[in-house]
Amino acid sequence: MDAKHSDEVYGRARVQESDELKAYYKELENLGAGALWTVANAIEPWEPRSSSIPMLWKYDDLRELVLKSSELVTPEQAGRRVVYLVNDKRKDVSAAVGWLYTGIQVTRPGEFTSAHRHRASALRFIMEGEKGYTVVDGNKIMLEVNDFVITPNSTWHEHGVEEGGKTCIWQDGLDIPLINALEANDYAVLDGKQELAAPLNYSPISYGCAGLIPADKTWDKPYSPLFKYSWSNVYPALLETQKVSEANPFDGIFMNYTNPLTGGHVMQTMGASIQLLPAGFNGKAHKHTGSFVYQCAKGKGYSIINGQRFDWKERDIFCVPSWAWHEHHNLSDSEDACLFAFNDLPVIEKLGLYQEKIYSENNGFQSYN
């Protein structure tokens, strides 16, 4: 520990125990109380501290088990067939990292889930399949591979795959652990299916085209009116940006999914981003507050997280805990790689908790196992 971070300095708790103090602590405990100095150094760390660890979930290892779930249980029995991904240190709250949940959901052609809603916010990143759809507050939206979809908190939503389509698999992301920690979550099921309130794909067509938004519509919700961010628009935008911008030394060509009306995050509690790592890109290391769940949308590479190397390729999912050193590398010298991520930055930023630090040793690159 650095000298400046020594718990022996004035201002830190450094009380030596005695029999008299032990008896005093017992008296307090019997009254549902305690002495702050016995826990102060643990609950007030010198720097941010995460209870999560970096983890990588290989899609090749999970895919068959995800598909098998659709053979073992029906949507009527399970509600949703999802294999959730849990951090070894966050099993008590079913979190992938920090206060974020993620899972891999499967739906077969002709199947659909019941319409439901919950106080937790949700998002999807489409991994494979054809003719999948979601219905969010009466807006039916067709889904394609690498599309990013939001399901804001308390919106009615349901998912399915049309007859003649192909089995769809997508990643779910939710803030369930956070909302449960705040003791604010709830859940409701709609009796029947939603009535459609707009033409097919109304949201992405109206709010996702060429920087234009309807001038005669009023949107008073605290989340984005654009429920789907199409890969057919996102990837070309990354390529165009690459032509006129230098790659960020940490994240390559890095862009946030935003609310087109405000330029802010897509939802109140979860944000999302997409980044392109140019061919041969070797990112430098930094760390910041905020937990991130990544999925490789294109290409292959590796990330070094707190001195540990994690190799990933398309559809693999990995997490970066808050305040963990991390850097990303593209293993290809000829093809770019793309990483989708979702995070809890809207909460971190609104509460004034964001901070960042750049790795200064070894020209910015970590040594790793």
Side-chain angles (χ1 to χ4, degrees), residues 6-257:
S6 171
D7 286 337
E8 296 305 312
V9 301
Y10 182 74
R12 294 295 274 182
R14 45 186 182 157
V15 176
Q16 298 298 315
E17 281 198 350
S18 66
D19 290 341
E20 185 178 16
L21 276 173
K22 289 179 181 178
Y24 173 68
Y25 297 153
K26 188 64 177 178
E27 286 186 77
L28 289 174
E29 182 181 352
N30 291 337
L31 296 174
L36 172 61
W37 60 82
T38 64
V39 298
N41 293 353
I43 67 175
E44 297 176 317
W46 287 102
E47 289 189 332
R49 181 175 58 204
S50 177
S51 57
S52 305
I53 61 172
M55 289 188 65
L56 169 71
W57 295 273
K58 291 284 192 181
Y59 189 58
D60 285 349
D61 295 337
L62 287 167
R63 184 177 182 276
E64 289 306 314
L65 292 173
V66 171
L67 291 170
K68 188 174 182 178
S69 72
S70 67
E71 301 170 2
L72 296 174
V73 294
T74 66
E76 292 79 10
Q77 293 171 325
R80 294 149 290 175
R81 278 82 58 90
V82 181
V83 172
Y84 75 99
L85 311 181
V86 62
N87 195 283
D88 284 345
K89 299 296 185 179
R90 301 293 284 160
K91 292 181 179 179
D92 57 327
V93 291
S94 303
V97 64
W99 296 101
L100 297 173
Y101 161 99
T102 196
I104 304 175
Q105 183 169 171
V106 60
T107 308
R108 290 179 165 185
E111 292 182 337
F112 58 89
T113 61
S114 62
H116 60 282
R117 68 180 182 186
H118 35 69
R119 197 66 54 171
S121 296
L123 54 84
R124 332 279 165 195
F125 194 75
I126 314 308
M127 303 172 80
E128 61 177 273
E130 294 180 5
K131 294 188 178 181
Y133 65 86
T134 187
V135 183
V136 182
D137 269 351
N139 289 267
K140 183 176 180 178
I141 299 165
M142 301 305 297
L143 309 176
E144 297 181 2
V145 170
N146 281 355
D147 285 354
F148 165 58
V149 182
I150 65 170
T151 309
N153 73 323
S154 296
T155 56
W156 290 107
H157 56 283
E158 59 195 271
H159 318 294
V161 178
E162 294 187 342
E163 295 283 359
K166 293 183 179 179
T167 296
C168 287
I169 299 176
W170 55 73
Q171 181 183 4
D172 291 330
L174 294 97
D175 57 6
I176 287 175
L178 172 64
I179 307 306
N180 284 343
L182 296 173
E183 300 177 352
N185 209 0
D186 60 21
Y187 191 94
V189 177
L190 187 68
D191 184 13
K193 298 177 67 66
Q194 296 181 71
E195 292 186 12
L196 298 186
L200 182 67
N201 290 324
Y202 171 82
S203 171
I205 290 174
S206 298
Y207 292 95
C209 299
L212 301 171
I213 58 174
D216 59 345
K217 304 294 182 184
T218 299
W219 184 262
D220 59 359
K221 306 292 195 302
Y223 46 79
S224 173
L226 180 56
F227 293 153
K228 183 183 81 165
Y229 297 75
S230 302
W231 182 249
S232 60
N233 295 329
V234 169
Y235 182 61
L238 290 169
L239 295 178
E240 289 298 300
T241 302
Q242 186 180 17
K243 294 177 182 178
V244 298
S245 302
E246 291 187 13
N248 179 290
F250 308 106
D251 291 307
I253 304 300
F254 184 89
M255 305 186 82
N256 287 319
Y257 294 94

Side-chain angles (χ1 to χ4, degrees), residues 305-324:
I305 310 170
N306 278 349
Q308 185 177 359
R309 174 167 167 164
F310 296 87
D311 285 78
W312 40 258
K313 62 183 180 69
E314 195 167 308
R315 301 300 161 229
D316 289 345
I317 296 170
F318 64 97
C319 69
V320 174
S322 181
W323 208 243

